[in-house]
Amino acid sequence: MCGIVAAASKTNVTDILMAGLKHLEYRGYDSAGIAILKNNVLNNYRQKGNVEELGKLLDATANSNIGIAHTRWATHGKPSKENAHPHIANDTIAIVHNGIIENYLDIKNKFLKNYKFLSDTDSEILAHLINHFSKDNEILDAVHLAMAEVQGSYALAVLDKNNPDKIIVARNGSPLLIGLGEEKNFIASDALALIEHTNRFVYLEDGDLATVSSEEVKIYDKNKKNIRRETKKSSLSLNSHSKDGYDHFMLKEIFEQPNAVKSTIENRIINNVVPKEILGPNAAEYLEKFKVVQIIACGTSYHAALVAKHWLERLAGIPCHAEIASEFRYRRHAVQKDTLLICISQSGETADTLSALREIKKEDYYVGTIAVCNVPESSLARECDSTLITHAGPEIGVASTKAFTTQLTALMLLVIVLGKRFEITPDLENSLCMQLKTLPDKIKSTLALDQKIAELAKIFSDKEHALFLGRGSHFPIAREGALKLKEISYIHAEAYAAGELKHGPLAIVDENMPVVAVAPNNVVLEKLKSNLEEVKARGGKLYIFADKKAGFKSDEISQVFEIDAPMNPVAPILFTIPLQLLAYHCAIIKGTNVDMPRNLAKSVTVE
Ligand code: M6R
């Protein structure tokens, strides 16, 4: 959600900033801007639209050894040039900000009554507030004093005309890191922005401030005490940025799933046993103690949570609740003592999930916290007792695909480890491990449906609505299919547990309503078949993704797509694939921006 990149160097930084913004565009893409300091003047370039639009404003004169840049996902104030960052106060202080300043109106009234604001954003007050304090203070003190007034979340980079060789940064609740180079240093909200220039990163913690020049980096804690933070080497590669011959990141990421799932189980299954050590050293205590599991997550990660709940209860007999983090956070909940908390998040920076975790950690009902996450250095991974990394590799497409299937894979490993003290016997563990190991090949075979699904999309893409049906652990897969379709093709799609159809939604079924069904060969197959008959009887058009042994045949009302998904618990992972492809091909036909769908951003770091 919004991206920041900044650099201080002995040479020109404009290209570094523009390339960094391009890599960060998936975090927000409604406007972009760059401020550079040249001949003691702050030059500010801002544009509505994507980074390419911003590039049109820059000519050869737009060069400098220091600059800050931003790509925006609007929260306060519509997407426009005026609301784009950087914001400048008094021609002296330029800022870029990610996050939300909750008390910006109070700050305006308390300190900035006579200031003229040029945007509708909450962020602009930061420029004026720092400018206000900088009149009587050194710039670092001014930023420190300003941040002490702020309630909310921020990752902030500040350029000060009177301190032309350094950038001042601050972090609280929004990710920010410093990249270390030779005679140049960088700042970004995401390591992906800088991986062309360095793989050495220092991750700032909440409350930290830092000054970054081409020659040195100084970090301070919330009391402005000089501190050291560890330098970490990133394993990201330049390849993460490339579409590798695919037309879109989303398609590349869909086809990366066999390898991503393989990497997620690699070294975690030994002789068909999943060792508890996959959870790291802090796990021993809570593994012995927990009685109940609570899972929190948002969006696609919440769908993974719902599948995990089915697995935990059905395979391991462990009571489990799964809830959307933003709901969980703001309601009183009755927690059973010795609850284990699992937080699922691809990015590990989702504000709703993080703030729920932080609230929960204040209570003593929880015996431990586990992050299932794709980014090892993320806030979530750092704040939980244990982290189970999904080895999906960076996911750039806003619509989550390989992150979801690797979450499910990691969650199955987790279910096995947690279940050993409950109902997961060595035989069941053996069988689940075998099933997990078949997944990469089975996903590959499922991907072979691609062309057939592209044909189906031709029928689908002119529809305005669609219904998705599933039962049991495949109901969350139907929900995920509906979310994917909505997100990138803008077709209104809803998912129902198939048994619910007759309790209301059947009323909207007619020949114009395409109904997608997920039909594994499992204990509720016959029930599902009856539900689908109810659709047929109302003239609804059916598109059934069915296991090849489920006994469905195409006819004039229904079209069947066969999947080789044996009757076993990992089947939901396989049924996800065709639904991703359906959403992708519909979006292509509709001509939407597949990787950057309207109004959305990859990592939602505001509540
Ligand atoms: O990074 P997270 O997994 O915490 O993100 C949660 C949701 O924002 C995310 O899954 C979102 O729903 C995706 N765009 C879905 O494709």
Side-chain angles (χ1 to χ4, degrees):
M1 180 137 303
C2 300
I4 288 178
V5 59
S9 169
K10 298 257 185 246
T11 53
N12 178 29
V13 297
T14 320
D15 289 346
I16 297 173
L17 299 180
M18 284 302 284
L21 283 185
K22 200 81 200 111
H23 296 318
L24 288 181
E25 220 176 3
Y26 73 108
R27 296 176 65 97
Y29 33 83
D30 58 45
S31 53
I34 286 188
I36 53 175
L37 200 47
K38 194 172 176 189
N39 305 329
N40 207 28
V41 175
L42 277 173
N43 295 306
N44 203 16
Y45 305 87
R46 299 183 297 168
Q47 185 69 292
K48 185 178 169 194
N50 58 21
V51 175
E52 206 176 318
E53 292 302 311
L54 173 67
K56 292 177 189 162
L57 299 182
L58 305 179
D59 58 20
T61 61
N63 60 65
S64 166
N65 293 354
I66 194 159
I68 58 176
H70 190 264
T71 174
R72 178 170 185 253
W73 183 85
T75 55
H76 292 59
K78 62 178 195 241
S80 68
K81 182 175 173 183
E82 294 68 35
N83 290 335
H85 299 215
H87 293 289
I88 296 197
N90 195 28
D91 293 328
T92 307
I93 301 285
I95 65 106
V96 288
H97 164 236
N98 289 354
I100 287 188
I101 307 304
E102 287 164 7
N103 61 337
Y104 76 105
L105 290 175
D106 296 342
I107 291 179
K108 264 188 189 175
N109 290 333
K110 186 169 167 195
F111 296 102
L112 309 171
K113 271 208 174 106
N114 301 322
Y115 282 71
K116 191 167 178 281
F117 288 87
L118 302 174
S119 78
D120 301 321
T121 66
D122 54 332
S123 305
E124 190 186 352
I125 65 118
L126 294 176
H128 294 288
L129 192 62
I130 293 165
N131 178 52
H132 169 84
F133 284 120
S134 70
K135 288 175 188 150
D136 300 318
N137 297 282
E138 291 289 322
I139 185 65
L140 181 68
D141 294 324
V143 174
H144 187 236
L145 287 168
M147 293 308 107
E149 297 297 331
V150 163
Q151 283 162 22
S153 59
Y154 52 83
L156 175 75
V158 182
L159 200 53
D160 173 15
K161 191 171 88 170
N162 299 320
N163 286 277
D165 59 351
K166 63 183 168 202
I167 297 163
I168 300 90
V169 297
R171 170 201 160 132
N172 187 48
S174 279
L176 199 63
L177 52 89
I178 297 171
L180 305 175
E182 297 299 325
E183 299 202 322
K184 47 174 91 98
N185 289 305
F186 317 91
I187 295 137
S189 45
D190 186 328
L192 268 182
L194 302 175
I195 203 68
E196 283 166 42
H197 309 289
T198 182
N199 64 356
R200 292 184 301 134
F201 297 106
V202 178
Y203 291 82
L204 295 182
E205 295 194 1
D206 281 349
D208 284 357
L209 294 161
T211 57
V212 178
S213 71
S214 60
E215 280 168 348
E216 66 174 354
V217 171
K218 287 185 182 164
I219 304 176
Y220 307 86
D221 69 9
K222 59 175 185 292
N223 302 316
K224 236 169 45 45
K225 197 171 133 238
N226 207 190
I227 41 156
R228 285 183 65 81
R229 297 265 179 242
E230 196 188 336
T231 302
K232 297 196 173 160
K233 251 193 163 163
S234 170
S235 56
L236 286 174
S237 73
L238 280 175
N239 180 43
S240 320
H241 289 311
S242 107
K243 291 187 192 144
D244 225 2
Y246 288 93
D247 289 340
H248 298 95
F249 280 109
M250 182 182 178
L251 192 62
K252 174 189 172 217
E253 288 157 7
I254 290 175
F255 276 85
E256 278 174 346
Q257 289 177 110
N259 281 337
V261 164
K262 197 167 172 200
S263 307
T264 302
I265 55 179
E266 213 155 59
N267 300 326
R268 286 169 165 173
I269 299 180
I270 298 156
N271 298 328
N272 285 345
V273 169
V274 184
K276 65 175 185 313
E277 284 69 25
I278 64 165
L279 291 174
N282 298 336
E285 201 181 326
Y286 65 71
L287 282 179
E288 283 312 307
K289 249 178 124 183
F290 82 94
K291 296 194 181 94
V292 181
V293 170
Q294 171 72 57
I295 314 182
I296 53 167
C298 305
T300 287
S301 297
Y302 173 63
H303 297 151
L306 292 175
V307 177
K309 172 185 161 65
H310 274 272
W311 286 342
L312 277 165
E313 300 204 329
R314 188 173 94 214
L315 301 170
I318 300 173
C320 174
H321 310 282
E323 193 164 337
I324 294 167
S326 57
E327 286 297 309
F328 189 81
R329 161 81 172 83
Y330 288 105
R331 75 177 181 85
R332 179 178 169 226
H333 36 269
V335 191
Q336 200 171 318
K337 207 170 162 353
D338 297 331
T339 294
L340 175 65
L341 181 79
I342 301 175
C343 305
I344 309 175
S345 170
Q346 182 280 130
S347 60
E349 300 295 350
T350 300
D352 288 324
T353 311
L354 275 171
S355 64
L357 167 72
R358 287 169 187 157
E359 279 305 303
I360 283 166
K361 282 175 80 172
K362 292 180 194 155
E363 297 175 22
D364 56 8
Y365 291 104
Y366 293 88
V367 278
T369 52
I370 302 176
V372 176
C373 185
N374 196 34
V375 183
E377 302 83 8
S378 63
S379 305
L380 193 74
R382 285 185 284 139
E383 292 180 33
C384 282
D385 299 327
S386 301
T387 302
L388 189 57
I389 291 297
T390 51
H391 292 291
E395 190 180 68
I396 308 289
V398 165
S400 196
T401 53
K402 62 176 181 170
F404 179 65
T405 46
T406 54
Q407 279 169 348
L408 290 179
T409 307
L411 285 163
M412 179 55 96
L413 295 170
L414 186 56
V415 168
I416 296 173
V417 171
L418 298 182
K420 292 189 206 202
R421 200 163 56 80
F422 295 79
E423 293 173 19
I424 303 254
T425 60
D427 277 355
L428 181 53
E429 177 170 17
N430 183 66
S431 140
L432 292 171
C433 288
M434 306 258 276
Q435 291 165 33
L436 280 170
K437 289 197 285 193
T438 64
L439 270 177
D441 284 343
K442 290 248 182 281
I443 295 175
K444 240 182 236 161
S445 325
T446 314
L447 285 167
L449 282 175
D450 185 41
Q451 276 320 302
K452 278 193 185 160
I453 293 173
E455 286 301 311
L456 168 62
K458 289 182 187 158
I459 307 170
F460 228 89
S461 53
D462 63 349
K463 303 286 179 210
E464 286 182 11
H465 309 278
L467 265 185
F468 284 67
L469 302 178
R471 293 191 74 130
S473 57
H474 290 78
F475 173 40
I477 302 305
R479 294 179 66 148
E480 175 59 9
L483 176 63
K484 268 329 57 119
L485 190 68
K486 270 192 277 234
E487 214 177 2
I488 58 167
S489 77
Y490 317 148
I491 295 172
H492 169 227
E494 281 196 74
Y496 276 93
E500 274 291 288
L501 208 54
K502 56 188 176 295
H503 298 293
L506 205 49
I508 55 168
V509 171
D510 62 14
E511 64 284 359
N512 295 317
M513 174 64 79
V515 178
V516 176
V518 181
N521 183 14
N522 63 12
V523 285
V524 283
L525 177 63
E526 292 312 315
K527 300 276 175 214
L528 178 74
K529 282 184 175 169
S530 310
N531 303 142
L532 299 186
E533 286 304 319
E534 292 158 10
V535 174
K536 277 187 178 180
R538 272 82 187 171
K541 286 263 177 283
L542 271 173
Y543 303 96
I544 308 173
F545 293 97
D547 175 56
K548 56 185 184 192
K549 295 208 179 106
F552 284 98
K553 290 272 168 292
S554 294
D555 54 30
E556 66 284 2
I557 294 189
S558 49
Q559 202 174 332
V560 177
F561 299 83
E562 285 192 341
I563 293 176
D564 179 16
M567 186 170 168
N568 68 39
V570 300
I573 301 176
L574 296 172
F575 278 96
T576 304
I577 311 295
L579 304 187
Q580 296 170 341
L581 289 168
L582 178 61
Y584 174 78
H585 287 295
C586 286
I588 293 300
I589 294 170
K590 293 196 74 178
T592 58
N593 188 340
V594 173
D595 286 332
M596 291 185 254
R598 69 183 180 202
N599 305 341
L600 301 179
K602 182 72 187 161
S603 168
V604 188
T605 54
V606 292
E607 270 194 67

